[in-house]
Amino acid sequence: MPVTTKRKFPFNIHDELKASLDNLKVHFALITEAIKVSKTQSFEGIVSLQEMEGFEVTGFEVKKSGDNFGVIILGHRKLQDNRTVKFTTPFINFDIEISDYNHIEDLIKSVDIAKQEVIEYMT
């Protein structure tokens, strides 16, 4: 069953939750086309790009569209003068057969881990 929650907590998030959100930033940057990569570049090579610095994922929403679930990632990019630009990704469908995102399987794994960390944080 889908659960919708939006709460602010007065305490900092734990390291595991922060790491799970950090694992989403490569998807955040790729989906929003903030970084450009070649079709032959490996996913691991993309994760280590220096251009990933400055990106931060601040949240995500798992939603249902029709019969399928998908995700919207929320975050920002810190500019050189320390200002930030906030933006969200478009809805990315988790259905591997219809998704046009090249790294959908990695995204699904990362979102699953982040969901579990959020549940642990909230309880």
Side-chain angles (χ1 to χ4, degrees):
M1 294 294 295
V3 175
T4 301
T5 185
K6 189 171 189 175
R7 291 195 266 175
K8 294 199 179 230
F9 290 90
F11 40 91
N12 292 330
I13 64 173
H14 57 272
D15 292 339
E16 292 84 2
L17 177 54
K18 176 146 179 46
S20 70
L21 292 175
D22 282 346
N23 288 336
L24 290 172
K25 74 180 179 180
V26 65
H27 300 289
F28 179 66
L30 287 170
I31 294 166
T32 58
E33 299 176 359
I35 60 172
K36 301 290 182 197
V37 294
S38 69
K39 292 189 184 264
T40 59
Q41 195 166 9
S42 71
F43 187 73
E44 292 75 23
I46 297 168
V47 173
S48 65
L49 285 175
Q50 205 170 30
E51 291 126 347
M52 293 302 302
E53 291 182 31
F55 286 96
E56 184 175 358
V57 171
T58 56
F60 61 95
E61 299 176 26
V62 176
K63 296 185 168 211
K64 188 171 185 179
S65 176
D67 292 335
N68 301 315
F69 284 93
V71 68
I72 296 172
I73 304 172
L74 301 85
H76 64 260
R77 181 176 185 190
K78 187 176 271 192
L79 303 175
Q80 290 179 351
D81 62 3
N82 286 328
R83 293 180 298 158
T84 58
V85 178
K86 296 179 182 182
F87 47 104
T88 61
T89 66
F91 178 82
I92 300 297
N93 196 314
F94 284 158
D95 186 333
I96 295 170
E97 293 179 13
I98 63 173
S99 179
D100 57 356
Y101 179 55
N102 292 335
H103 307 286
I104 189 65
E105 291 175 358
D106 291 309
L107 175 61
I108 292 169
K109 288 176 192 173
S110 295
V111 168
D112 284 343
I113 292 168
K115 284 190 320 189
Q116 185 59 40
E117 291 301 330
V118 167
I119 290 167
E120 289 180 23
Y121 175 73
M122 292 173 49
T123 57

